[in-house]
Amino acid sequence: IKIEPAPNPKPKPGPKTSISQPRAVVTKGKAVITTQAKVAGTFTVVARYLKPGKKARVLARCSATRKAGRSHRCSLLYSKKLNRKYIQLVVTFTAKNGKKVVRRVGPTKLGKPRFIVAKRGALKNRRVTLRARTFRTGRVTLVMRYGKKTVRRCVVNRVAGQTAICQVTLRRGQKAKSIRATIALRAEDGLRAIRRARP
């Protein structure tokens, strides 16, 4: 009699993977966010206004219970007088077992750019890596210039929370500290954000 080993069961989604990455479109006076539950649970979506120099405030919220595999779409209304680029959407998902996962989308901005310069080897002080995190899903363009000349340009698509990376190797005699960078985000709904940086 031949005994076959039992097949390995498929792992159940953990708390960090129990929902899909939320996708948001923010228009004047309205924000729409869509995500999917991979396990049964309850969604709560909160729209916040995060304008620099002012106290954060809650604009609207919605909640709904979904079965595993079902999508959740939430439309939130807010005053048309508010600048939509400062809207942040916070998605909290509570699974039936009580575990929670939180995802934040927005506001439309880029995190502080970070430069990494090679410290050893043949490319010491010549290999430069630029990293920038986006808080909204969209296209990120990273441009590095040496003087007036563009030495590297990278265009990547990233979802909210991911990091865009661009790398360049300078010529001999060029120094990393002379690099100037521009990072531009164009979100799915057309909103833009730009940051400039130097090592």
Side-chain angles (χ1 to χ4, degrees):
I1 300 174
K2 186 178 181 181
I3 300 177
E4 296 286 348
N8 294 325
K10 293 183 178 180
K12 294 182 179 180
K16 292 184 179 180
T17 59
S18 54
I19 65 173
S20 64
Q21 178 64 39
R23 306 296 294 270
V25 175
V26 182
T27 56
K28 191 174 182 179
K30 184 178 180 180
V32 180
I33 191 164
T34 305
T35 184
Q36 184 183 54
K38 297 183 180 179
V39 297
T42 301
F43 284 101
T44 300
V45 182
V46 176
R48 304 171 68 209
Y49 193 64
L50 303 180
K51 187 173 182 177
K54 292 192 175 183
K55 186 178 180 180
R57 58 191 175 107
V58 174
L59 302 177
R61 68 176 70 229
C62 69
S63 61
T65 299
R66 291 289 183 267
K67 296 180 180 180
R70 296 293 300 274
S71 296
H72 174 57
R73 185 175 185 272
C74 176
S75 298
L76 299 165
L77 302 179
Y78 60 92
S79 172
K80 292 183 179 180
K81 295 180 180 180
L82 299 178
N83 192 327
R84 59 189 178 128
K85 75 177 183 179
Y86 298 124
I87 300 295
Q88 182 193 58
L89 301 172
V90 183
V91 181
T92 303
F93 179 75
T94 306
K96 280 192 173 182
N97 60 10
K99 293 184 177 180
K100 290 186 178 182
V101 59
V102 179
R103 294 280 188 271
R104 292 177 175 84
V105 180
T108 304
K109 68 174 186 176
L110 292 156
K112 184 178 180 180
R114 181 187 175 196
F115 286 91
I116 302 173
V117 181
K119 298 297 184 182
R120 61 181 65 183
L123 298 178
K124 180 180 179 181
N125 294 325
R126 293 173 52 216
R127 173 66 59 82
V128 182
T129 303
L130 173 63
R131 300 169 61 92
R133 185 183 180 195
T134 174
F135 289 84
R136 286 292 303 276
T137 297
R139 185 179 65 191
V140 182
T141 302
L142 306 96
V143 178
M144 286 189 275
R145 295 182 177 87
Y146 193 91
K148 295 183 178 180
K149 183 179 180 181
T150 297
V151 292
R152 184 67 167 147
R153 184 176 186 270
C154 303
V155 181
V156 293
N157 293 316
R158 291 291 181 266
V159 299
Q162 289 187 336
T163 299
I165 301 173
C166 192
Q167 190 176 81
V168 65
T169 300
L170 300 176
R171 295 179 180 178
R172 294 186 183 278
Q174 293 181 330
K175 298 181 179 180
K177 66 180 182 181
S178 298
I179 287 284
R180 301 293 180 267
T182 302
I183 306 97
L185 163 68
R186 182 180 176 87
E188 289 180 309
D189 48 21
L191 287 174
R192 300 187 183 204
I194 296 177
R195 292 201 69 156
R196 293 177 173 83
R198 55 192 296 182

